[in-house]
Amino acid sequence: MQMIRILLIGIVVGICNVIPGVSGGTMVVVFNIYDQFVNAITLNVKKLIKNWKFLVPLFVGMAAGILVFSKLITVLYTKFPVQTNYFFFGLILGSIPLLWKYVSKHKAGEAVRVSRIVSIVLCIAAGFAVLICFSRMESSVDRTAVVSVLPEISAGLMVRLFFAGVFGAVAMIIPGVSGSLLMLIMGVYPIVIASIPALLSGATFWHAVILLVPTGFGVLAGLFGGAKLISWLMKVAEVQTYSVIFGLILASAVTIFPGFAEIHGVGQAVACFVCAAAGAAMAFFSTKFAPAD
């Protein structure tokens, strides 16, 4: 019965990890398995074997959630690209309040020092600047076109898919932060989402496999290495760590905003507004399940 419960939790986490702006890490907290999740991810083989009844159903469920929901995302990107991008933009905006809560929190009665404020501002600025610079470098990626036709395989793309998997997995460990959002920022999210259902087609199977393998290795590296790294960073510099992440999210709102040029007519404008509002509400209310301070 416990394994079935973990399997169902994994499905929910997998679905959330497919949606940019919605945190799978938050869902892990919702179902009260966060500590077990972080502690179970280790390179210690004996510990992995000991926790197999937890890890196997969890990851099987996550894989099932990702596989099923990726098909719907592909359809939405193909038929309603503008509205879908506005929905994602709303998701990003909706995730900001929780992150700001982490950045601005301090102990009751504790005086707010100038050095603390300066460190927060510098960390936010660093996260913002890094992401803006990166978005300039990856501007050649078309986030909507790649969902229908898999891109040509190149060494540069393989490297980017690997590191996107690493960063996405590390972000997934942090409650309130979306790993798929970072993958979207890095310009590989539509590629990965298109590659998953392409596995079911004989004509594109091997092409999809080659694209997903570096992403998968990146995810594994991010999970095993990131779990300990994030745990350590949160202990020694929690506010500063969240400040960098906050800067990344602010910059992502700037880089992902779809603009108004693609909106044609009042009907589509209303639809885009509704999609953005729905995305913001979805992300905002999902953060209500984050751990209380």
Side-chain angles (χ1 to χ4, degrees), residues 30-50:
V30 170
F31 295 107
N32 197 30
I33 61 170
Y34 185 74
D35 290 339
Q36 188 177 4
F37 176 68
V38 173
N39 292 327
I41 301 174
T42 175
L43 293 176
N44 187 320
V45 177
K46 291 183 179 180
K47 195 171 182 180
L48 286 174
I49 295 174
K50 180 180 178 181

Side-chain angles (χ1 to χ4, degrees), residues 167-211:
F167 295 140
V170 171
M172 187 189 73
I173 299 172
I174 307 173
V177 181
S178 169
S180 54
L181 184 150
L182 292 184
M183 295 181 73
L184 179 63
I185 292 167
M186 296 179 71
V188 303
Y189 174 78
I191 299 174
V192 174
I193 289 300
S195 298
I196 294 172
L199 291 171
L200 302 178
S201 172
T204 58
F205 175 80
W206 289 111
H207 193 162
V209 167
I210 294 173
L211 292 173

Side-chain angles (χ1 to χ4, degrees), residues 111-257:
V112 180
R113 300 187 303 272
V114 175
S115 59
R116 178 187 174 95
I117 296 175
V118 171
S119 69
I120 289 173
V121 172
L122 289 177
C123 288
I124 291 175
F128 189 92
V130 167
L131 185 55
I132 292 296
C133 290
F134 189 87
S135 68
R136 300 279 183 178
M137 292 187 291
E138 56 88 27
S139 59
S140 61
V141 176
D142 187 338
R143 292 184 174 88
T144 57
V146 294
V147 297
S148 56
V149 179
L150 296 181
E152 294 184 4
I153 297 170
S154 67
L157 179 59
M158 296 297 100
V159 171
R160 184 163 56 184
L161 286 168
F162 173 79
F163 281 106
V166 171
F167 295 140
V170 171
M172 187 189 73
I173 299 172
I174 307 173
V177 181
S178 169
S180 54
L181 184 150
L182 292 184
M183 295 181 73
L184 179 63
I185 292 167
M186 296 179 71
V188 303
Y189 174 78
I191 299 174
V192 174
I193 289 300
S195 298
I196 294 172
L199 291 171
L200 302 178
S201 172
T204 58
F205 175 80
W206 289 111
H207 193 162
V209 167
I210 294 173
L211 292 173
L212 290 174
V213 164
T215 308
F217 278 115
V219 169
L220 290 176
L223 285 176
F224 285 103
K228 297 304 179 185
L229 174 62
I230 293 300
S231 178
W232 179 77
L233 286 174
M234 291 302 178
K235 288 180 181 178
V236 301
E238 180 182 11
V239 172
Q240 288 75 15
T241 301
Y242 274 116
S243 296
V244 173
I245 296 169
F246 187 77
L248 289 168
I249 297 302
L250 286 180
S252 72
V254 175
T255 58
I256 293 178
F257 179 61

